[in-house]
Amino acid sequence: LAAGAVAHLLYLTNNCPLDLAGDEALYWQYTNHLALSYYCKGPMIAYIIGAGRWLLADWSQRLVGSEMLAVRVPAIVLSVLTGIGIYVLASSTLRRPRLAFAAIALTFTMPVLAVGAVLMTIDTPWVFAWTWALVFFHRAIRNDSNPAWVAGGVFIAIGILSKYTMLLIYPVVGLLLLMDPAARRFLRRCGPYVAMLIGFAGLIPILIWNAQHDWVGFRHVAGQAGVSETA
């Protein structure tokens, strides 16, 4: 993971031929107008890039003549953290470190993760949040840990603020709790419900912003999903 991060950084700093993609440029523009949410995306991407600009903009300008590194270095950092999460999840479930290592090697051949290690898209923080939510939910079930349920809920909220499809983790975890006899007992405890409520808190700023803007973001998503003619 460290070697990959260094390689990606060298690629970006040595005459990288990739200008900001359209999505990246849009998210960069978001940081000039920070808000609770946006027309087609949640707010997390804007705040991540905003933090990158605050920390790295001057260094990026000196090194490559633009803020490109300030936009993309957070993607490298998040990809490393995602890889660590994959290793932790694989090693704790498979209990074989070599298979966990292989899981990282194979996973990072997937385009969504390979691209997300260089380009700053909403998928990068979303995959990071999804991975670590699963890490903590596995820990919560295995160790009967309420703090792990809380941490999992926090990562759901981060994921929802990044990409709305994070909501799909609810049926994933719910089906596990229903189908696994060893996990079913947690349906009678508060941990999963606390996690669910914390996760839904990620929707609050998005709901507030949409209520103030005639629900344009939700109508846009409905149009993309084909359930509405308004895109």
Side-chain angles (χ1 to χ4, degrees):
L1 290 172
V6 171
H8 288 135
L9 188 59
L10 290 174
Y11 173 72
L12 292 177
T13 55
N14 286 274
N15 298 316
C16 176
L18 301 177
D19 198 358
L20 290 185
D23 283 358
E24 290 178 300
L26 174 64
Y27 306 147
W28 178 90
Q29 182 63 26
Y30 283 171
T31 66
N32 294 320
H33 309 279
L34 292 176
L36 293 177
S37 190
Y38 297 92
Y39 166 66
C40 59
K41 297 291 183 290
M44 183 58 68
I45 188 72
Y47 286 89
I48 291 173
I49 293 177
R53 293 182 68 189
W54 179 64
L55 290 170
L56 305 173
D58 291 342
W59 169 72
S60 181
Q61 286 282 5
R62 291 195 301 270
L63 203 61
V64 298
S66 72
E67 294 187 4
M68 180 266 287
L69 291 175
V71 174
R72 289 178 174 162
V73 165
I76 297 176
V77 174
L78 287 171
S79 72
V80 171
L81 295 176
T82 299
I84 294 171
I86 291 170
Y87 181 85
V88 172
L89 182 61
S91 61
S92 61
T93 53
L94 303 174
R95 301 184 183 278
R96 294 179 63 182
R98 288 187 177 182
L99 287 180
F101 177 82
I104 295 177
L106 291 174
T107 300
F108 275 85
T109 65
M110 297 170 60
V112 67
L113 293 176
V115 173
V118 178
L119 306 184
M120 191 67 222
T121 72
I122 60 171
D123 289 319
T124 304
W126 168 63
V127 173
F128 159 76
W130 186 288
T131 300
W132 280 99
L134 292 183
V135 168
F136 281 107
F137 288 145
H138 178 264
R139 185 164 297 176
I141 293 170
R142 184 185 64 185
N143 299 335
D144 194 5
S145 169
N146 285 327
W149 285 114
V150 171
V154 170
F155 278 102
I156 289 180
I158 293 171
I160 290 173
L161 291 167
S162 303
K163 190 172 182 178
Y164 302 146
T165 48
M166 188 70 190
L167 290 166
L168 294 175
I169 202 169
Y170 284 108
V172 169
V173 177
L175 284 172
L176 169 66
L177 296 177
L178 286 170
M179 298 175 66
D180 186 343
R184 199 174 297 151
R185 59 195 171 100
F186 289 99
L187 292 173
R188 300 189 296 273
R189 302 185 183 182
C190 65
Y193 305 103
V194 170
M196 180 175 66
L197 290 175
I198 293 173
F200 276 131
L203 281 173
I204 293 175
I206 296 170
L207 289 169
I208 293 173
W209 185 89
N210 274 274
Q212 295 171 341
H213 295 84
D214 194 29
W215 305 101
V216 63
F218 290 158
R219 290 190 287 112
H220 168 75
V221 172
Q224 287 187 319
V227 298
S228 170
E229 293 182 359
T230 302

